[in-house]
Amino acid sequence: MTDAQEIQRRLIELDVEHRDLDAVIEMLTRDGHHDQLQLRRLKKRKLQLKDYITLLKMQLVPDVPA
């Protein structure tokens, strides 16, 4: 497996986790009976995933000489 394929595979995994967290956060918010600390931790994890996804996507873009 090449590095690009490995990055693509990891991107898919992270994207699934990001969407799952989004669904859990929405469900907890809609429910009204949620733990604020848990909700903050979930949102922080979601942002970390988004940053890591962006970093991996940047690695897939070839460098263009100036």
Side-chain angles (χ1 to χ4, degrees), residues 14-51:
L14 293 172
D15 195 42
V16 167
E17 185 178 351
H18 188 268
R19 282 195 312 263
D20 289 347
L21 276 173
D22 196 33
V24 169
I25 290 169
E26 184 175 332
M27 182 184 68
L28 287 174
T29 304
R30 198 172 351 126
D31 183 31
H33 301 290
H34 55 274
D35 179 13
Q36 288 294 324
L37 181 59
Q38 179 188 20
L39 196 57
R40 273 198 311 259
R41 287 180 178 162
L42 291 172
K43 287 181 179 181
K44 183 176 181 178
R45 174 66 180 151
K46 185 179 165 196
L47 286 173
Q48 289 172 335
L49 286 173
K50 182 179 177 186
D51 290 344

Side-chain angles (χ1 to χ4, degrees), residues 57-65:
K57 284 182 180 180
M58 287 174 30
Q59 290 179 6
L60 289 176
V61 176
D63 290 335
V64 178

